[in-house]
Amino acid sequence: MRIFRSLKTAAVLLSVGGLGFGLIGSGVRAAMTDGGSATENIAVGSLHCAVTSTDPSAVVTGNSVTLTSPPILSSSAGYRYVSDVTVTNTGTLPETVHWTFTEGGTLTPGQWSGGGVDALGNPGTMGYTTGTVSLNMTTDIVLPAGGHQTYGAGGNGIGFIWGPLDNTYLGQTASITYTANCGEQPASQISFVGAADAAIAGGTAPKASSVACPTGSPAAGYYPWVSSNTAQWCGNNTFPVSASLASWPATGSFTVTASGGVATVTYTGRTTTAPYEFTGLTNTSSATGSVAPGSNNVVGVLAPTALPLPSGWQVGDMAIAVDYGSGRGNPAGFTGLWNTFSIYGPSDLSWKVLATGDNTITMPAGKGTAIAVFVYHGVAAIGASGWAGGGTYATSPALTLAKPDGSSWVVSLDAASASVSGVNYAGLSNRSSGLAGTHVGAADTNKGVATWPGEVSTTPASGDNYAVELESK
Amino acid sequence: MSIRSHLGIKAATVLLAVGGLGFGMMGTGVHAAFTDAGHATESVSVGTFGIQFVNLSSNCTADGGSGAWTVTCNIPMLTSSAAGSAPISFSIKDTGTIGGSYTVSPGVISGQVTGATQFVDLLPSGVASTPLAAGATSAPVNAGLSWGALVNGNEGQNVSVVYTINATA
């Protein structure tokens, strides 16, 4: 600023001088000026990779490494692996590595394994390998800038393997070239559309027509299951119970029969076909102890709950529903992904590709607390998913992504008795803070990722926690 | 602060003019007379004029000094070959007490690569002379670059676009 003032002073003096000359002579116009420039700089990244091997028999050329079969001195089956093959990202951008394999040498196609038959009519027995089960070149990977991946380390899984050889192989040669095709990481087509939730309908008039047995632990023992007009306790159990309802004995055995989709519950000589709800049931044979009153111990189902969808959803969008406090049953048309009858929930996780008319989806679930739905656009499929329960803080479990090319999003979903709608995972975008209820939380990566190591939030909540991979279209 | 120093200079100029007149009167002869005298002083205050860049879009920072103010916008490295754009915006504020006008030149792009996808100026006509009142802030100047799908020839490329802003009172 001090420099600026000095320059201004000089400008004023020049201006006064010019005015004086103007009065005297030809006239000089002066003006106060200022200015500057605006610059935008853009750099474009680069994609390069290199292939290396510490094995002296491996011949590296650019992004390729060629292995030539050693002299084979026996007709017996055998193998020859090289020490290792490594691909390194030498560019400045993350890149996807896709390997291709080219057979070479003098062998005919029929002499290669899977290539047909050789001149003697025998199946081809010369083969090559692409790595171990867990680390195989046939799975595309994403390498960060400067990153690398080694296959077959320790002479394990990269090279030739062959079965018994016949005379057609005499004097022949074989080679295999592994080529790393390094390209741009595919852009994710996924975007978040919105979220909505509803309280699960309560009441005391359940219908026992479509209750699914819970999975997880305990797997059976709590619910009557009526399907295709057959009825049983889950796991065919009858079980001792205690009941708080005064007019019913405290202990005994239930049986359930079904006809026309209506369950008949018989208990110690008393039979009812009326919708009925048992409260205070206690499973005396399970190590997990008592069942929480009012949430897990409903015989039958309550009135359906309308499943809301956020505005802006389109046909083909992916909807993910999470209910807390029910633990059994998914919204109509939804595919169950997790049905968790844990001590933290229970809760359900399910998904559906939305179709015309889905704005009237209902959830035929039993007594519960709340359900929330999260809708995403541009999702091709559900990939990996995982569950983690308990803990001090809501925790997103680690996943091995089904599509680790960097285009998948990961959504972390939480269902807990504590408030988790504002769940905070560092680097993730919360998607549930605007919900009316607080028992369901969601946050996503808001971008494609190649890995998901899991993450612990800063939100205290011991509940059912899920992570779901959304594969991009 | 700068106005005060201007006043000092103005006062000196007026005093010199009055002194010249006095010498002229004395040159015409000497007369005895009762005299009284006084003098009138005219003070002239000259305003200030200058600009600053404000309301910068993200990735942009302002710097510089009078006559050479700068806005520099560094866009994160492009990691996709997809077509796109990197719009930037800024406003020009008259920081003085005198109104004026400003112009913005079309962008001058450097770093284009022959045979590769070309980057395009988002402000190809610049901004014609536009009045700017004292203390006022201009409408946003929307500039930047756009590009079509990038090809291998664009890898590692560094592109810049420069706009020149002139302001006159």
Side-chain angles (χ1 to χ4, degrees):
Chain A
M1 293 303 293
R2 184 169 299 172
I3 294 173
F4 172 68
R5 288 181 185 128
S6 299
L7 290 174
K8 289 292 99 183
T9 302
V12 170
L13 291 173
L14 288 171
S15 177
V16 171
L19 178 61
F21 285 121
L23 290 170
I24 298 170
S26 60
V28 175
R29 181 177 178 81
M32 299 178 181
T33 63
D34 200 355
S37 64
T39 304
E40 180 181 48
N41 301 311
I42 297 178
V44 183
S46 61
L47 291 166
H48 301 290
C49 65
V51 171
T52 57
S53 175
T54 62
D55 195 297
S57 68
V59 178
V60 174
T61 305
N63 298 348
S64 298
V65 58
T66 298
L67 312 181
T68 301
S69 66
I72 299 174
L73 305 178
S74 167
S75 62
S76 301
Y79 67 91
R80 165 68 168 91
Y81 295 152
V82 293
S83 302
D84 51 67
V85 172
T86 297
V87 58
T88 302
N89 182 350
T90 56
T92 58
L93 298 178
E95 60 191 14
T96 299
V97 180
H98 173 76
W99 289 92
T100 54
F101 316 98
T102 305
E103 299 163 349
T106 61
L107 292 179
T108 65
Q111 290 174 306
W112 285 95
S113 176
V117 296
D118 60 25
L120 297 179
N122 298 317
T125 57
M126 177 57 73
Y128 61 90
T129 54
T130 55
T132 59
V133 172
S134 62
L135 186 58
N136 198 290
M137 291 175 166
T138 55
T139 300
D140 291 355
I141 61 170
V142 174
L143 286 179
H148 70 276
Q149 181 66 65
T150 297
Y151 300 87
N156 182 20
I158 300 294
F160 294 94
I161 185 168
W162 59 90
L165 304 175
D166 59 33
N167 284 347
T168 64
Y169 293 84
L170 292 172
Q172 304 293 340
T173 63
S175 67
I176 181 68
T177 298
Y178 301 80
T179 299
N181 303 278
C182 301
E184 179 180 349
Q185 189 174 343
S188 179
Q189 303 299 314
I190 299 173
S191 59
F192 177 69
V193 176
D197 68 335
I200 294 177
T204 58
K207 297 181 295 182
S209 60
S210 59
V211 177
C213 284
T215 59
S217 177
Y222 292 106
Y223 303 98
W225 177 33
V226 180
S227 177
S228 301
N229 288 334
T230 62
Q232 61 183 22
W233 290 109
C234 292
N236 290 314
N237 291 334
T238 57
F239 58 95
V241 298
S242 62
S244 62
L245 198 63
S247 59
W248 290 76
T251 59
S253 297
F254 291 100
T255 59
V256 182
T257 59
S259 177
V262 177
T264 299
V265 181
T266 302
Y267 181 79
T268 321
R270 297 185 63 176
T271 300
T272 180
T273 55
Y276 197 78
E277 176 183 6
F278 294 87
T279 59
L281 298 183
T282 300
N283 184 322
T284 59
S285 62
S286 170
T288 59
S290 63
V291 179
S295 59
N296 308 320
N297 51 2
V298 178
V299 174
V301 292
L302 298 172
T305 297
L307 177 67
L309 290 177
S311 61
W313 71 271
Q314 303 174 33
V315 171
D317 285 350
M318 176 67 72
I320 301 175
V322 182
D323 79 75
Y324 171 73
S326 170
R328 49 196 164 92
N330 302 309
F334 277 59
T335 300
L337 193 59
W338 286 85
N339 176 251
T340 311
F341 196 68
S342 74
I343 60 173
Y344 314 110
S347 59
D348 283 305
L349 182 66
S350 58
W351 61 271
K352 185 180 192 301
V353 177
L354 296 176
T356 302
D358 276 352
N359 51 335
T360 58
I361 291 174
T362 57
M363 179 182 176
K367 213 169 196 177
T369 303
I371 184 169
V373 63
F374 304 90
V375 177
Y376 290 85
H377 185 67
V379 178
I382 298 292
S385 66
W387 170 86
T392 304
Y393 298 95
T395 301
S396 179
L399 298 177
T400 299
L401 299 185
K403 193 175 180 183
D405 63 1
S407 64
S408 292
W409 283 30
V410 171
V411 187
S412 294
L413 302 132
D414 309 295
S417 59
S419 176
V420 288
S421 57
V423 65
N424 178 44
Y425 289 98
L428 300 191
S429 298
N430 178 282
R431 303 302 191 186
S432 53
S433 58
L435 297 177
T438 62
H439 294 287
V440 175
D444 62 48
T445 54
N446 199 32
K447 64 179 180 181
V449 295
T451 60
W452 184 245
E455 183 172 338
V456 179
S457 75
T458 58
T459 303
S462 179
D464 288 323
N465 305 306
Y466 306 96
V468 178
E469 174 191 7
L470 305 180
E471 296 181 8
S472 175
K473 289 183 176 177
Chain B
M1 294 296 291
S2 61
I3 291 176
R4 183 170 298 173
S5 75
H6 293 161
L7 288 174
I9 294 168
K10 290 289 102 182
T13 304
V14 172
L15 290 174
L16 284 172
V18 172
L21 178 62
F23 284 122
M25 292 179 67
M26 286 193 287
T28 59
V30 177
H31 301 276
F34 294 107
T35 62
D36 196 0
H39 65 270
T41 301
E42 180 184 27
S43 298
V44 178
S45 177
V46 180
T48 61
F49 177 72
I51 64 166
Q52 283 186 348
F53 294 124
V54 296
N55 300 334
L56 311 180
S57 55
S58 60
N59 301 316
C60 297
T61 56
D63 201 351
S66 178
W69 300 104
T70 63
V71 172
T72 303
C73 306
N74 293 311
I75 306 303
M77 178 184 290
L78 302 187
T79 60
S80 166
S81 62
S85 63
I88 61 171
S89 68
F90 56 88
S91 296
I92 300 162
K93 181 178 182 180
D94 185 333
T95 58
T97 57
I98 301 174
S101 62
Y102 68 92
T103 62
V104 181
S105 72
V108 177
I109 302 175
S110 62
Q112 300 272 33
V113 174
T114 302
T117 300
Q118 301 295 291
F119 288 74
V120 179
D121 181 15
L122 294 176
L123 190 63
S125 299
V127 177
S129 181
T130 303
L132 188 62
T137 298
S138 74
V141 176
N142 297 309
L145 293 171
S146 66
W147 56 92
L150 301 179
V151 298
N152 286 348
N154 292 108
E155 288 188 32
Q157 181 181 8
N158 292 294
V159 186
S160 295
V161 58
V162 178
Y163 302 91
T164 300
I165 296 89
N166 288 310
T168 305

PDB file of all heavy atoms in Angstrom, chain A residues 269-288:
ATOM      1  N   GLY A 269     -53.328 -75.060  24.595  1.00  0.00           N
ATOM      2  CA  GLY A 269     -54.745 -75.322  24.561  1.00  0.00           C
ATOM      3  C   GLY A 269     -55.587 -74.162  24.084  1.00  0.00           C
ATOM      4  O   GLY A 269     -56.772 -74.310  23.827  1.00  0.00           O
ATOM      5  N   ARG A 270     -55.020 -73.022  23.961  1.00  0.00           N
ATOM      6  CA  ARG A 270     -55.788 -71.881  23.468  1.00  0.00           C
ATOM      7  C   ARG A 270     -55.354 -71.580  22.038  1.00  0.00           C
ATOM      8  O   ARG A 270     -54.194 -71.644  21.681  1.00  0.00           O
ATOM      9  CB  ARG A 270     -55.567 -70.655  24.348  1.00  0.00           C
ATOM     10  CG  ARG A 270     -56.052 -70.865  25.776  1.00  0.00           C
ATOM     11  CD  ARG A 270     -55.928 -69.614  26.584  1.00  0.00           C
ATOM     12  NE  ARG A 270     -56.761 -68.548  26.048  1.00  0.00           N
ATOM     13  CZ  ARG A 270     -56.892 -67.351  26.622  1.00  0.00           C
ATOM     14  NH1 ARG A 270     -56.247 -67.104  27.742  1.00  0.00           N
ATOM     15  NH2 ARG A 270     -57.654 -66.439  26.094  1.00  0.00           N
ATOM     16  N   THR A 271     -56.326 -71.273  21.255  1.00  0.00           N
ATOM     17  CA  THR A 271     -56.038 -71.035  19.849  1.00  0.00           C
ATOM     18  C   THR A 271     -56.614 -69.677  19.439  1.00  0.00           C
ATOM     19  O   THR A 271     -57.709 -69.307  19.838  1.00  0.00           O
ATOM     20  CB  THR A 271     -56.667 -72.126  18.968  1.00  0.00           C
ATOM     21  OG1 THR A 271     -56.128 -73.386  19.356  1.00  0.00           O
ATOM     22  CG2 THR A 271     -56.367 -71.880  17.497  1.00  0.00           C
ATOM     23  N   THR A 272     -55.846 -68.995  18.663  1.00  0.00           N
ATOM     24  CA  THR A 272     -56.350 -67.742  18.138  1.00  0.00           C
ATOM     25  C   THR A 272     -55.928 -67.584  16.694  1.00  0.00           C
ATOM     26  O   THR A 272     -54.835 -67.964  16.306  1.00  0.00           O
ATOM     27  CB  THR A 272     -55.856 -66.529  18.939  1.00  0.00           C
ATOM     28  OG1 THR A 272     -56.393 -65.352  18.344  1.00  0.00           O
ATOM     29  CG2 THR A 272     -54.329 -66.474  18.945  1.00  0.00           C
ATOM     30  N   THR A 273     -56.825 -67.082  15.910  1.00  0.00           N
ATOM     31  CA  THR A 273     -56.469 -66.697  14.547  1.00  0.00           C
ATOM     32  C   THR A 273     -56.488 -65.181  14.408  1.00  0.00           C
ATOM     33  O   THR A 273     -56.241 -64.648  13.348  1.00  0.00           O
ATOM     34  CB  THR A 273     -57.452 -67.295  13.532  1.00  0.00           C
ATOM     35  OG1 THR A 273     -58.784 -66.902  13.889  1.00  0.00           O
ATOM     36  CG2 THR A 273     -57.358 -68.812  13.512  1.00  0.00           C
ATOM     37  N   ALA A 274     -56.821 -64.558  15.480  1.00  0.00           N
ATOM     38  CA  ALA A 274     -56.830 -63.095  15.428  1.00  0.00           C
ATOM     39  C   ALA A 274     -55.400 -62.571  15.385  1.00  0.00           C
ATOM     40  O   ALA A 274     -54.490 -63.196  15.937  1.00  0.00           O
ATOM     41  CB  ALA A 274     -57.556 -62.537  16.656  1.00  0.00           C
ATOM     42  N   PRO A 275     -55.226 -61.489  14.733  1.00  0.00           N
ATOM     43  CA  PRO A 275     -53.881 -60.882  14.780  1.00  0.00           C
ATOM     44  C   PRO A 275     -53.457 -60.678  16.225  1.00  0.00           C
ATOM     45  O   PRO A 275     -54.241 -60.256  17.064  1.00  0.00           O
ATOM     46  CB  PRO A 275     -54.089 -59.547  14.065  1.00  0.00           C
ATOM     47  CG  PRO A 275     -55.276 -59.767  13.203  1.00  0.00           C
ATOM     48  CD  PRO A 275     -56.163 -60.705  13.963  1.00  0.00           C
ATOM     49  N   TYR A 276     -52.264 -61.026  16.482  1.00  0.00           N
ATOM     50  CA  TYR A 276     -51.861 -60.991  17.863  1.00  0.00           C
ATOM     51  C   TYR A 276     -50.390 -60.613  17.989  1.00  0.00           C
ATOM     52  O   TYR A 276     -49.572 -60.942  17.146  1.00  0.00           O
ATOM     53  CB  TYR A 276     -52.090 -62.356  18.530  1.00  0.00           C
ATOM     54  CG  TYR A 276     -52.070 -62.264  20.026  1.00  0.00           C
ATOM     55  CD1 TYR A 276     -53.177 -61.782  20.703  1.00  0.00           C
ATOM     56  CD2 TYR A 276     -50.948 -62.615  20.743  1.00  0.00           C
ATOM     57  CE1 TYR A 276     -53.159 -61.653  22.070  1.00  0.00           C
ATOM     58  CE2 TYR A 276     -50.917 -62.488  22.115  1.00  0.00           C
ATOM     59  CZ  TYR A 276     -52.028 -62.015  22.773  1.00  0.00           C
ATOM     60  OH  TYR A 276     -52.003 -61.888  24.123  1.00  0.00           O
ATOM     61  N   GLU A 277     -50.119 -59.956  19.055  1.00  0.00           N
ATOM     62  CA  GLU A 277     -48.738 -59.557  19.319  1.00  0.00           C
ATOM     63  C   GLU A 277     -48.322 -60.042  20.703  1.00  0.00           C
ATOM     64  O   GLU A 277     -49.013 -59.814  21.684  1.00  0.00           O
ATOM     65  CB  GLU A 277     -48.600 -58.038  19.274  1.00  0.00           C
ATOM     66  CG  GLU A 277     -47.206 -57.554  19.629  1.00  0.00           C
ATOM     67  CD  GLU A 277     -47.134 -56.039  19.656  1.00  0.00           C
ATOM     68  OE1 GLU A 277     -48.194 -55.420  19.507  1.00  0.00           O
ATOM     69  OE2 GLU A 277     -46.040 -55.511  19.827  1.00  0.00           O
ATOM     70  N   PHE A 278     -47.237 -60.734  20.750  1.00  0.00           N
ATOM     71  CA  PHE A 278     -46.690 -61.178  22.021  1.00  0.00           C
ATOM     72  C   PHE A 278     -45.671 -60.163  22.509  1.00  0.00           C
ATOM     73  O   PHE A 278     -44.874 -59.654  21.737  1.00  0.00           O
ATOM     74  CB  PHE A 278     -46.002 -62.535  21.876  1.00  0.00           C
ATOM     75  CG  PHE A 278     -46.965 -63.642  21.541  1.00  0.00           C
ATOM     76  CD1 PHE A 278     -47.293 -63.920  20.231  1.00  0.00           C
ATOM     77  CD2 PHE A 278     -47.539 -64.386  22.553  1.00  0.00           C
ATOM     78  CE1 PHE A 278     -48.180 -64.935  19.926  1.00  0.00           C
ATOM     79  CE2 PHE A 278     -48.423 -65.403  22.257  1.00  0.00           C
ATOM     80  CZ  PHE A 278     -48.758 -65.680  20.934  1.00  0.00           C
ATOM     81  N   THR A 279     -45.710 -59.905  23.763  1.00  0.00           N
ATOM     82  CA  THR A 279     -44.723 -58.983  24.315  1.00  0.00           C
ATOM     83  C   THR A 279     -43.924 -59.685  25.387  1.00  0.00           C
ATOM     84  O   THR A 279     -44.400 -60.601  26.054  1.00  0.00           O
ATOM     85  CB  THR A 279     -45.391 -57.743  24.931  1.00  0.00           C
ATOM     86  OG1 THR A 279     -46.280 -58.178  25.962  1.00  0.00           O
ATOM     87  CG2 THR A 279     -46.163 -56.968  23.884  1.00  0.00           C
ATOM     88  N   GLY A 280     -42.736 -59.231  25.518  1.00  0.00           N
ATOM     89  CA  GLY A 280     -41.905 -59.720  26.610  1.00  0.00           C
ATOM     90  C   GLY A 280     -41.447 -61.149  26.458  1.00  0.00           C
ATOM     91  O   GLY A 280     -41.114 -61.809  27.439  1.00  0.00           O
ATOM     92  N   LEU A 281     -41.391 -61.674  25.237  1.00  0.00           N
ATOM     93  CA  LEU A 281     -40.909 -63.036  25.056  1.00  0.00           C
ATOM     94  C   LEU A 281     -39.439 -63.121  25.443  1.00  0.00           C
ATOM     95  O   LEU A 281     -38.657 -62.222  25.198  1.00  0.00           O
ATOM     96  CB  LEU A 281     -41.068 -63.475  23.608  1.00  0.00           C
ATOM     97  CG  LEU A 281     -42.503 -63.534  23.061  1.00  0.00           C
ATOM     98  CD1 LEU A 281     -42.470 -64.063  21.639  1.00  0.00           C
ATOM     99  CD2 LEU A 281     -43.372 -64.405  23.945  1.00  0.00           C
ATOM    100  N   THR A 282     -39.101 -64.198  26.044  1.00  0.00           N
ATOM    101  CA  THR A 282     -37.708 -64.418  26.413  1.00  0.00           C
ATOM    102  C   THR A 282     -37.257 -65.769  25.901  1.00  0.00           C
ATOM    103  O   THR A 282     -37.871 -66.787  26.178  1.00  0.00           O
ATOM    104  CB  THR A 282     -37.521 -64.382  27.945  1.00  0.00           C
ATOM    105  OG1 THR A 282     -37.935 -63.106  28.412  1.00  0.00           O
ATOM    106  CG2 THR A 282     -36.069 -64.603  28.302  1.00  0.00           C
ATOM    107  N   ASN A 283     -36.245 -65.764  25.138  1.00  0.00           N
ATOM    108  CA  ASN A 283     -35.685 -67.011  24.640  1.00  0.00           C
ATOM    109  C   ASN A 283     -34.751 -67.555  25.692  1.00  0.00           C
ATOM    110  O   ASN A 283     -33.743 -66.952  26.034  1.00  0.00           O
ATOM    111  CB  ASN A 283     -34.920 -66.753  23.337  1.00  0.00           C
ATOM    112  CG  ASN A 283     -34.415 -68.040  22.729  1.00  0.00           C
ATOM    113  OD1 ASN A 283     -33.985 -68.934  23.449  1.00  0.00           O
ATOM    114  ND2 ASN A 283     -34.473 -68.133  21.425  1.00  0.00           N
ATOM    115  N   THR A 284     -35.118 -68.689  26.226  1.00  0.00           N
ATOM    116  CA  THR A 284     -34.321 -69.238  27.317  1.00  0.00           C
ATOM    117  C   THR A 284     -33.238 -70.190  26.829  1.00  0.00           C
ATOM    118  O   THR A 284     -32.477 -70.719  27.621  1.00  0.00           O
ATOM    119  CB  THR A 284     -35.222 -69.996  28.297  1.00  0.00           C
ATOM    120  OG1 THR A 284     -35.889 -71.044  27.578  1.00  0.00           O
ATOM    121  CG2 THR A 284     -36.243 -69.072  28.911  1.00  0.00           C
ATOM    122  N   SER A 285     -33.199 -70.411  25.531  1.00  0.00           N
ATOM    123  CA  SER A 285     -32.208 -71.359  25.045  1.00  0.00           C
ATOM    124  C   SER A 285     -31.078 -70.682  24.281  1.00  0.00           C
ATOM    125  O   SER A 285     -30.157 -71.329  23.826  1.00  0.00           O
ATOM    126  CB  SER A 285     -32.872 -72.381  24.116  1.00  0.00           C
ATOM    127  OG  SER A 285     -33.425 -71.727  22.991  1.00  0.00           O
ATOM    128  N   SER A 286     -31.158 -69.390  24.139  1.00  0.00           N
ATOM    129  CA  SER A 286     -30.147 -68.696  23.353  1.00  0.00           C
ATOM    130  C   SER A 286     -29.134 -68.018  24.252  1.00  0.00           C
ATOM    131  O   SER A 286     -29.479 -67.431  25.282  1.00  0.00           O
ATOM    132  CB  SER A 286     -30.793 -67.646  22.451  1.00  0.00           C
ATOM    133  OG  SER A 286     -29.786 -66.850  21.876  1.00  0.00           O
ATOM    134  N   ALA A 287     -27.921 -68.087  23.828  1.00  0.00           N
ATOM    135  CA  ALA A 287     -26.858 -67.455  24.594  1.00  0.00           C
ATOM    136  C   ALA A 287     -26.928 -65.946  24.533  1.00  0.00           C
ATOM    137  O   ALA A 287     -26.298 -65.252  25.312  1.00  0.00           O
ATOM    138  CB  ALA A 287     -25.500 -67.918  24.078  1.00  0.00           C
ATOM    139  N   THR A 288     -27.694 -65.410  23.587  1.00  0.00           N
ATOM    140  CA  THR A 288     -27.743 -63.962  23.453  1.00  0.00           C
ATOM    141  C   THR A 288     -28.715 -63.332  24.434  1.00  0.00           C
ATOM    142  O   THR A 288     -28.785 -62.129  24.546  1.00  0.00           O
ATOM    143  CB  THR A 288     -28.142 -63.552  22.029  1.00  0.00           C
ATOM    144  OG1 THR A 288     -29.421 -64.130  21.755  1.00  0.00           O
ATOM    145  CG2 THR A 288     -27.135 -64.030  21.027  1.00  0.00           C
TER     146      THR A 288
END
